[in-house]
Amino acid sequence: MLQVSEEMKHWAAMLGGELESWPGVSTRPMFGFLSFYRGKNVFAALPKTRSMGSPTSFIFRLPPDSPLKARARKDPRIGPSEMAQARWMTFEMQSEADLRDALTWLDRAYLAAGGPRLTKRGRRP
């Protein structure tokens, strides 16, 4: 595991603040990360002190049979994590502009973990 960058700590705090506002989300510390759960299902982990892949990445989880995996493979910021057997993928943050797409992938992971759909305005009910 790598030391997380200061920039990524800031981005992770912003992403985490949004995730914590979603219905049914709880958090738990996990080896230098803050893991996010929808009920009993873990769907993401944001770095606090350690990172996987690079100092500016986070991990999220999709089911093995998800059609989203093909779409994820087309995004150059997404790759398999060191825990790929456990269905984890990494998202490489390059700038603050990536926050919107990061939230989109986190929302997909959240939905795959059993969460409710977004409203048309992009907000949680």
Side-chain angles (χ1 to χ4, degrees), residues 7 13 18 38 50 80 96 101 108-109 121:
E7 195 170 42
E18 175 65 22
R38 170 68 174 122
R50 299 282 177 219
E96 198 165 310
D101 291 340
R108 290 171 177 157
R121 294 182 155 243

Side-chain angles (χ1 to χ4, degrees), residues 57-118:
S57 66
F58 66 86
I59 56 176
F60 66 99
R61 197 169 179 189
L62 292 173
D65 58 348
S66 174
L68 292 171
K69 288 223 171 193
R71 186 183 291 174
R73 283 191 276 280
K74 293 178 184 176
D75 189 326
R77 298 165 297 185
I78 297 175
S81 82
E82 296 161 2
M83 301 186 325
Q85 296 84 359
R87 304 182 305 224
W88 289 99
M89 305 179 91
T90 61
F91 186 97
E92 179 69 36
M93 298 285 297
Q94 297 167 355
S95 73
E96 198 165 310
D98 290 325
L99 287 169
R100 186 185 67 170
D101 291 340
L103 276 174
T104 297
W105 283 105
L106 289 166
D107 181 61
R108 290 171 177 157
Y110 171 84
L111 292 172
R117 290 257 174 228
L118 289 173

Side-chain angles (χ1 to χ4, degrees), residues 3-14 47-49 55:
Q3 193 80 15
V4 67
S5 75
E6 289 302 315
E7 195 170 42
M8 187 61 200
K9 286 180 184 179
H10 175 69
W11 294 333
M14 292 179 6
K48 290 200 76 75
T49 59

Side-chain angles (χ1 to χ4, degrees), residues 15-80:
L15 291 168
E18 175 65 22
L19 294 180
E20 288 176 346
S21 74
W22 293 358
V25 170
S26 62
T27 62
R28 293 183 201 145
M30 178 180 79
F31 308 111
F33 291 81
L34 186 59
S35 57
F36 291 82
Y37 290 78
R38 170 68 174 122
K40 294 180 181 180
N41 300 316
V42 63
F43 68 92
L46 299 176
K48 290 200 76 75
T49 59
R50 299 282 177 219
S51 182
M52 285 190 191
S54 85
T56 57
S57 66
F58 66 86
I59 56 176
F60 66 99
R61 197 169 179 189
L62 292 173
D65 58 348
S66 174
L68 292 171
K69 288 223 171 193
R71 186 183 291 174
R73 283 191 276 280
K74 293 178 184 176
D75 189 326
R77 298 165 297 185
I78 297 175

